Amino acid sequence: MQILTPFLVMMRARQLGRQFRDIERSVRALPKRNRERLSTLTLREIGQASRSDFPHLYGTAPEARYLPWGQGTEAGYERACSNNAEVALRGIALWLAVAYHETKNSPHASLQPQHRQLMQLLRELKEVHSNGNTVESWMHDTAAA
């Protein structure tokens, strides 16, 4: 298993990187109003995930708990590709939340670039908020997670 783990992590990092590029493109294409909504949805999803027993498995069915990683990013990515704007926003928020928790404290160096890219996008979403108090609480809430 020790030989297989680095390969699996490398494949996961490539998958998250590929999905991240599509998610980032979708976020940047959103009008300001939808970005504000996405920011709120993402904060809510990150908070809900942090309250679960295994935040990186948020959005994963209980019977799939023992997989190497959860199904939340897949579910979020599929929804993010939807033609329905509301479903797409919720999918992006789910993907960002699960990917954040999955990469946050990962002991694997190959997932750290994905976490840095993700944090940059989350910072940009924070800045969309016009209320300074909301912006300040954004990172404090996620840092506590």
Side-chain angles (χ1 to χ4, degrees), residues 36-51 58 86 90 93-94 97 101 129 138 141-142:
E36 290 171 356
R37 178 133 168 74
L38 175 62
S39 180
T40 303
L41 288 170
T42 302
L43 177 59
R44 186 177 318 146
E45 290 286 354
I46 288 173
Q48 288 177 351
S50 68
R51 287 187 288 281
Y58 182 70
E86 183 64 24
R90 290 182 179 277
L94 175 62
H101 284 292
H129 278 287
W138 230 92
D141 290 343
T142 58

Side-chain angles (χ1 to χ4, degrees), residues 98-118:
V98 175
Y100 168 78
H101 284 292
E102 185 176 327
T103 61
K104 182 171 94 172
N105 293 323
S106 176
H108 307 290
S110 60
L111 290 175
Q112 291 172 357
Q114 280 74 20
H115 186 69
R116 284 192 296 274
Q117 290 176 326
L118 186 59

